[in-house]
Amino acid sequence: MAARDYGEYGGVTRALELIGERWALLIVRDLLVGPRRYGELAAGLPRIPSNVLAARLKELQAAGVLRRAPRSRVIVYELTPYGHELEPVVLALGAWGFKALDDPRDEQVITPDSMTMDLRSAFRAGIAAELPATAYAARVGEAELLIRVDGRTLDVSRGDGPADLAFAAGPGIRRVISGELAADRAIATGVVEVLHGRGALLDRFATTFHLAA
Amino acid sequence: MAARDYGEYGGVTRALELIGERWALLIVRDLLVGPRRYGELAAGLPRIPSNVLAARLKELQAAGVLRRAPRSRVIVYELTPYGHELEPVVLALGAWGFKALDDPRDEQVITPDSMTMDLRSAFRAGIAAELPATAYAARVGEAELLIRVDGRTLDVSRGDGPADLAFAAGPGIRRVISGELAADRAIATGVVEVLHGRGALLDRFATTFHLAA
DNA sequence: CCGTATCCGCTCAGATACTG
DNA sequence: CAGTATCTGAGCGGATACGG
């Protein structure tokens, strides 16, 4: 049942034995956004073979990282408290990997859950606390998110809703977050399209969410 | 050259493409302690096949995580600045995995580098700042470390040296760090053997390095 | 539809031997 | 010492099929 081990006794080694297998940490990432059904997980990990997903769910359950939500009519997977403690790991990893992103290839997909976690990685609570509460509606690829920033708290949820600024963007939004592309130039060049609201708020967005390369 | 990808565009995904392969993050962990030769890395990862180590070193080099140290007579591997930015990831992962450690199996090894990183994970700078500067000489398994704490800074180096407290322990030292076993009881039961210095300092050690389960 | 199991082809990991 | 070469088998990816 225990994953193939490394023959070493230590914290990192143990962690990798529990969540180091291929796909495992991506499942954790999506569950950090919220409980998910089997099919939702499969949809959020487009290339995962169904047998691998089933195997990982079992292993992660045995490892105490996730569980099937009790007293729920349908089967729903959720993180255990211990699994939830992986949040700092996933955020740090996401921040690190974000800096290595180049422009996306055509076959690459952006899912709502992955984008949610990227936004959490890039969120600067200290900066946001100085700014007025703001709601953004963002459409990037297939992901449609409502992003609410209020003081030091960030809430990202799927779907649409009332927002101070609604915008659509290609994945070039990355360059806005990395600071390579100024907000006003992103709008001017069409990388970001303002759907409604004051376009000037995109600059606030870029200030709130920032990961320098 | 690029590792097998996940077909998704996002920070965590990209990170796992770069350092998600088996053994990769353990190599990074050891290099976070300092530059290492090929043979030193092999010794610190007892079960890694030599071809896999060679392959990982190439991939991590291509990923910009590490490089061969320039103008060095022998071949030495060291992290790039970008690779060094993985430190928070490794520390967080180590802290998480440490909590899932149970007692070690016989074939499991403790290496100096893995123990050094575990100590860094468990180090509580805020607590240490309130305590007097202290040097510990610890022998755990094959690892012999000199641990110097001064204010908020921690320095761990291999080998022996002048210390306020020198002790030898089996891996049961984990229970001291987790708080399951009080320092005085660890000494009384022989889990930790005081070689010289005041045994009472082990309590300070347990306060300085702590990861609750 | 949701969750699993089972097939197969293939890549990668593991073990060992060998070379500059 | 610092890798490369080769072989074998485990695990992944992909497809398909089956029970609730």
Side-chain angles (χ1 to χ4, degrees), chain A residues 4 37-39 50-51 58 68 75 77:
Chain A
R4 213 155 23 126
R37 311 258 299 273
Y38 185 95
S50 62
N51 57 349
K58 273 187 192 156
R68 297 160 95 114
I75 297 175
Y77 297 93

Side-chain angles (χ1 to χ4, degrees), chain A residues 72-157:
Chain A
S72 166
R73 211 173 39 75
V74 294
I75 297 175
V76 177
Y77 297 93
E78 65 181 13
L79 294 176
T80 62
Y82 185 54
H84 199 83
E85 290 179 38
L86 280 167
E87 178 159 18
V89 174
V90 174
L91 291 179
L93 202 61
W96 185 83
F98 190 90
K99 300 181 186 178
L101 282 177
D102 38 13
D103 286 324
R105 276 160 289 124
D106 288 349
E107 79 275 16
Q108 286 187 312
V109 159
I110 298 184
T111 68
D113 288 347
S114 76
M115 190 174 161
T116 297
M117 293 307 292
D118 280 349
L119 286 170
R120 286 198 200 165
S121 286
F123 181 58
R124 299 196 288 180
I127 303 284
E130 311 290 314
L131 298 169
T134 314
Y136 308 90
R139 204 161 58 67
V140 179
E142 322 200 0
E144 202 165 338
L145 297 177
L146 183 62
I147 304 159
R148 278 170 298 194
V149 179
D150 188 356
R152 306 185 66 85
T153 73
L154 164 66
D155 181 83
V156 182
S157 55

Side-chain angles (χ1 to χ4, degrees), chain B residues 21-23 49-51 56:
Chain B
E21 298 289 303
R22 193 163 162 75
W23 295 106
S50 62
N51 57 349
R56 289 295 167 275

